[in-house]
């Protein structure tokens, strides 16, 4: 729970404001307008000085793009979104229009936006020696944004000698206007012979539109700066070992990310930036133990993850798979996330099973006898065999007494699905003249691989004992995969007093995430 801000326009000040409106026209001066990224949203930042309350609206032609209201005069800076999360604004003429509270136009400022112009200056490749051949492990590009709007690079397609190619999700994907930065992607293309190779790179935005191209040559070479993760373990009495590269920029990026405020840890298993690395790891594991037996294949993968030393964290801190590989240690959540990502990549129907103070993997394999095995059912009745990954020796369907028949559990499917998260700002209550309302601003992102439809926000005003005194339901909207929406709601305050506001993110009728704010 977080405390919320309350803004009150006192009756005396309101009286003066009314008098000012009667005798003086509201004035507003735009001091500056700049365009840059605002936490993933391309935004117009407007510095202005207003004598009273105003409305600020952003138009493209006659279409309203975004708007805000300001209820206290003075000098301030506000931002309006030009497009959705990680979307490049369309070319065209935009207008920032400012109105008084009676919708009288005060001023109008024009903004011209051109098509994105991204220049790739240089290419840097991290090569990994794998037996006789090389792996194109990680690709980095030095790029310059030559236009006046942020550019967001979603994916990279790299081709070698016109023969081998790979698509990868880009990290550090935001390039602000008139700036130069480095973007990277984990490519993991195997089987590259020693020598010089022609490289072709294409960059694409969130909508799949190509925004830059670059060609060059690069030669394979040993890179001793790449960290190695080496592990030995036993399965069915036989010793196995594996040595894995740790992509430097991928590890740095994942380690820098704020942990998501969700109990659905499939977020870490399906996060797309490491897809090629998980594919590389999975293929390497299966090459060590070739079997068509389903249970044996699952148990072999489990034995690899189980052999990673268990490390109990003081506070729960879920890790991305690359973080667990790099450290070669993890707790039950970290190891379950890693195992689920590998097994899902291999092609199994996989889930994470959240139990009281524990997490395990669930597998729904075809053609396997469930008799005598421990399993948990999802909401549809689909059975997932229990797979313990925390410690060595456990096989598919085995569990200690504590986890054989727990009633309080949640299943999170790992695979192709939307994965919605919200970042809700503390709601603000305004008492302006005769009005009394609450403004809610919520960022909704979809980190999954499928688009989400039938999404809505439910805002619940709670009194003592969490008694609901008013409930507001937004219109339904959609969020594309990898994209996001900024939702602003202006809700009349309930007549009854309230102590809390709860904002529920709803998808397909189910609560995905809740944020609770206390009004002091």
């Amino acid at each position: 729970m977080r405390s919320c801000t309350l803004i009150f326009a006192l009756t005396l000040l309101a009286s003066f404001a009314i008098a000012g409106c009667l005798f003086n026209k509201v004035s507003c001066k735009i001091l500056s307008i700049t365009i840059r990224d605002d936490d993933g949203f391309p935004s117009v930042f407007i510095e202005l000085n207003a004598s009273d309350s105003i409305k600020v609206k952003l138009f493209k032609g006659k279409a309203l793009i975004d708007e805000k209201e300001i209820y206290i005069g003075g000098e301030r800076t506000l931002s309006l979104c030009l497009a959705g999360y990680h979307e490049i604004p369309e070319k065209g003429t935009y207008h920032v229009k400012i109105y008084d509270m009676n919708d009288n136009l005060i001023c109008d400022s024009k903004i011209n936006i051109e098509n994105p112009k991204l220049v790739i200056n240089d290419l840097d490749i991290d090569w990994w020696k794998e037996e006789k051949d090389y792996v194109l492990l990680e690709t980095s590009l030095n790029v310059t944004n030559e236009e006046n709007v942020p550019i967001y690079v979603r994916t990279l397609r790299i081709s070698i000698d016109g023969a081998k190619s790979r698509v990868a999700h880009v990290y550090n994907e935001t390039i602000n206007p008139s700036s130069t930065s480095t973007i990277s992607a984990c490519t993991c293309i195997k089987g590259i012979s020693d020598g010089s190779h022609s490289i072709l790179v294409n960059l694409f935005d969130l909508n799949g539109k190509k925004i830059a191209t670059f060609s060059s040559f690069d030669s394979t070479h040993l890179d001793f700066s790449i960290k190695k993760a080496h592990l030995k373990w036993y399965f069915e009495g036989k010793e196995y070992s594996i040595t894995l590269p740790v992509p430097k920029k991928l590890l740095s990026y994942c380690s820098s990310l704020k942990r998501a405020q969700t109990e659905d840890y499939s977020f870490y298993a399906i996060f797309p930036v490491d897809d090629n690395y998980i594919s590389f790891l999975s293929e390497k594991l299966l090459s060590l133990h070739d079997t068509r037996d389903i249970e044996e294949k699952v148990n072999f993968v489990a034995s690899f993850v189980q052999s990673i030393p268990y490390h109990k964290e003081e506070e729960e801190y879920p890790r991305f798979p690359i973080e667990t590989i790099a450290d070669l240690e993890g707790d039950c959540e970290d190891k379950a996330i890693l195992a689920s990502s590998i097994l899902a990549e291999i092609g199994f129907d996989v889930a994470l099973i959240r139990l009281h103070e524990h997490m395990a993997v669930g597998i729904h394999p075809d053609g396997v006898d469930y008799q005598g095995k421990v399993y948990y059912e999802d909401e549809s009745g689909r059975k997932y065999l229990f797979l313990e990954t925390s410690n060595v020796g456990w096989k598919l369907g085995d569990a200690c007494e504590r986890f054989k028949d727990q009633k309080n559990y949640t299943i999170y499917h790992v695979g192709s699905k939307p994965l919605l998260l919200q970042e809700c700002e503390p709601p603000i209550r305004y008492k302006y003249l005769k009005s009394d309302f609450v403004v809610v601003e919520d960022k909704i992102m979809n980190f999954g691989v499928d688009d989400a439809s039938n999404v809505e926000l439910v805002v619940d005003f709670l009194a003592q004992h969490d008694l609901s005194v008013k409930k507001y339901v937004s219109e339904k909207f959609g969020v594309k995969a990898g994209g996001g929406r900024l939702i602003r709601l202006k809700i009349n305050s309930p007549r009854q007093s309230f102590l809390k506001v709860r904002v529920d993110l709803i998808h397909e009728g189910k609560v995905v995430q809740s944020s609770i704010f206390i009004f002091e």
Side-chain angles (χ1 to χ4, degrees):
M1 294 185 187
R2 289 181 284 174
S3 295
C4 255
T5 305
L6 284 80
I7 295 182
F8 295 98
L10 300 176
T11 304
L12 182 61
L13 293 176
S15 299
F16 283 124
I18 294 171
C21 288
L22 290 174
F23 298 103
N24 297 304
K25 184 179 179 181
V26 176
S27 63
C28 180
K29 183 179 181 181
I30 296 177
L31 305 176
S32 67
I33 293 179
T34 57
I35 302 173
R36 64 179 185 271
D37 173 74
D38 185 14
D39 198 21
F41 289 84
S43 300
V44 178
F45 286 80
I46 307 151
E47 184 183 5
L48 53 80
N49 193 345
S51 64
D52 206 336
S53 303
I54 55 172
K55 300 177 183 180
V56 186
K57 299 184 180 185
L58 177 65
F59 291 90
K60 184 177 185 290
K62 295 182 178 180
L64 178 63
I65 306 299
D66 197 8
E67 63 179 324
K68 281 186 178 179
E69 294 182 355
I70 297 175
Y71 306 104
I72 299 175
E75 189 171 320
R76 65 184 65 244
T77 300
L78 60 87
S79 64
L80 297 175
C81 291
L82 282 161
Y85 183 77
H86 282 183
E87 292 186 356
I88 301 173
E90 294 180 355
K91 177 183 177 180
T93 300
Y94 295 73
H95 286 264
V96 175
K97 296 186 178 183
I98 298 178
Y99 302 83
D100 64 20
M101 300 309 281
N102 294 316
D103 292 321
N104 297 307
L105 182 64
I106 301 173
C107 56
D108 182 350
S109 185
K110 184 172 68 174
I111 305 169
N112 290 317
I113 291 179
E114 301 296 329
N115 286 323
K117 187 176 181 182
L118 187 66
V119 177
I120 303 175
N121 306 309
D122 198 11
L123 168 76
D124 182 47
I125 291 176
D126 287 346
W127 296 97
W128 169 258
K129 185 71 181 300
E130 187 83 6
E131 298 177 352
K132 296 181 180 180
D133 294 323
Y134 282 85
V135 177
L136 197 161
L137 184 65
E138 201 165 30
T139 302
S140 298
L141 298 165
N142 180 270
V143 296
T144 299
N145 180 354
E146 295 189 344
E147 278 301 336
N148 65 338
V149 294
I151 293 177
Y152 304 94
V153 183
R154 174 67 170 172
T155 55
L156 167 157
R157 184 193 299 274
I158 184 167
S159 300
I160 303 176
D161 299 329
K164 295 178 179 286
S165 65
R166 184 64 52 88
V167 174
H169 283 80
V170 169
Y171 27 96
N172 299 322
E173 66 276 3
T174 302
I175 308 103
N176 268 308
S178 305
S179 67
T180 299
S181 60
T182 299
I183 60 175
S184 304
C186 185
T187 40
C188 287
I189 304 178
K190 301 189 303 179
I192 309 300
S193 61
D194 191 14
S196 178
H197 299 274
S198 64
I199 309 292
L200 176 65
V201 178
N202 291 311
L203 301 181
F204 301 88
D205 66 12
L206 181 64
N207 297 313
K209 183 179 179 181
K210 184 163 67 175
I211 52 178
T213 299
F214 183 77
S215 60
S216 181
F217 287 87
D218 202 79
S219 297
T220 57
H221 59 274
L222 291 174
D223 188 345
F224 296 102
S225 68
I226 297 176
K227 181 179 178 179
K228 300 177 182 179
H230 183 73
L231 190 68
K232 289 183 178 181
W233 77 99
Y234 287 88
F235 177 71
E236 302 292 355
K238 182 180 177 181
E239 185 182 69
Y240 294 85
S241 67
I242 193 170
T243 301
L244 296 166
V246 179
K248 294 174 286 188
K249 296 178 182 65
L250 174 64
L251 176 62
S252 175
Y253 175 73
C254 289
S255 300
S256 70
L257 291 176
K258 182 173 65 175
R259 303 299 104 160
Q261 298 299 307
T262 177
E263 292 191 346
D264 183 357
Y265 285 0
S266 69
F267 169 84
Y268 301 94
I270 67 175
F271 199 64
V273 296
D274 64 356
D275 283 356
N276 290 328
Y277 187 80
I278 296 301
S279 178
F280 170 77
L281 168 58
S282 302
E283 290 177 14
K284 196 170 177 64
L285 274 176
L286 293 182
S287 71
L288 299 176
H289 186 80
D290 185 18
T291 177
R292 293 185 178 182
D293 185 272
I294 293 174
E295 287 192 64
E296 187 177 341
K297 187 176 292 186
V298 171
N299 289 331
F300 177 72
V301 171
S303 71
F304 161 72
V305 177
Q306 290 166 352
S307 67
I308 296 174
Y310 181 88
H311 175 73
K312 179 64 176 177
E313 298 166 341
E314 293 184 6
E315 296 182 1
E316 191 164 316
Y317 184 86
R319 300 185 185 199
F320 291 95
I322 188 62
E323 296 178 282
T324 303
I325 291 294
D327 294 338
L328 282 182
E329 65 177 26
D331 63 8
C332 62
E333 292 93 353
D334 304 327
K335 297 174 75 173
I337 290 166
L338 174 59
S340 68
S341 67
I342 297 171
L343 290 165
E345 171 63 28
I346 291 172
F348 289 104
D349 183 351
V350 184
L352 290 172
I353 305 175
R354 177 178 285 279
L355 304 153
H356 179 62
E357 296 184 345
H358 190 59
M359 181 166 283
V361 179
I363 307 290
H364 178 83
D366 294 325
V368 172
D369 185 10
Y370 284 66
Q371 187 68 32
K373 293 182 171 66
V374 177
Y375 61 83
Y376 287 83
E377 295 184 6
D378 67 9
E379 293 179 346
S380 68
R382 195 171 182 83
K383 298 176 181 178
Y384 285 84
L385 288 172
F386 190 87
L387 181 63
E388 178 62 76
T389 55
S390 296
N391 298 297
V392 298
W394 295 99
K395 300 294 180 67
L396 182 64
D398 291 345
C400 65
E401 289 297 325
R402 179 186 171 195
F403 302 125
K404 279 188 176 179
D405 191 27
Q406 286 207 8
K407 304 301 181 186
N408 185 19
Y409 68 92
T410 307
I411 285 183
Y412 298 105
H413 297 97
V414 176
S416 180
K417 66 177 185 179
L419 208 163
L420 297 172
L421 295 176
Q422 70 173 352
E423 292 182 6
C424 188
E425 295 295 323
I428 301 176
R429 184 177 185 179
Y430 293 90
K431 289 188 175 181
Y432 172 76
L433 301 179
K434 294 182 179 181
S435 301
D436 182 357
F437 54 89
V438 171
V439 174
V440 176
E441 185 171 298
D442 201 355
K443 293 178 181 178
I444 296 95
M445 280 79 70
N446 182 1
F447 293 102
V449 295
D450 289 347
D451 295 344
S453 57
N454 293 321
V455 184
E456 59 188 345
L457 293 178
V458 175
V459 182
D460 208 354
F461 295 82
L462 305 174
Q464 283 188 340
H465 311 297
D466 288 342
L467 176 67
S468 178
V469 294
K470 182 174 181 175
K471 186 173 289 188
Y472 177 90
V473 181
S474 75
E475 294 182 356
K476 292 185 178 181
F477 54 91
V479 188
K480 66 175 62 176
R485 298 281 297 270
L486 178 59
I487 305 296
R488 293 192 186 96
L489 302 174
K490 180 180 176 181
I491 308 167
N492 290 330
S493 299
R495 294 180 180 179
Q496 304 94 321
S497 61
F498 59 96
L499 302 175
K500 302 175 186 176
V501 171
R502 185 180 69 224
V503 182
D504 292 332
L505 174 61
I506 310 291
H507 178 226
E508 300 290 359
K510 297 179 181 179
V511 177
V512 174
Q513 190 179 357
S514 295
S515 299
I516 300 177
F517 304 91
I518 299 173
F519 274 73
E520 298 175 345

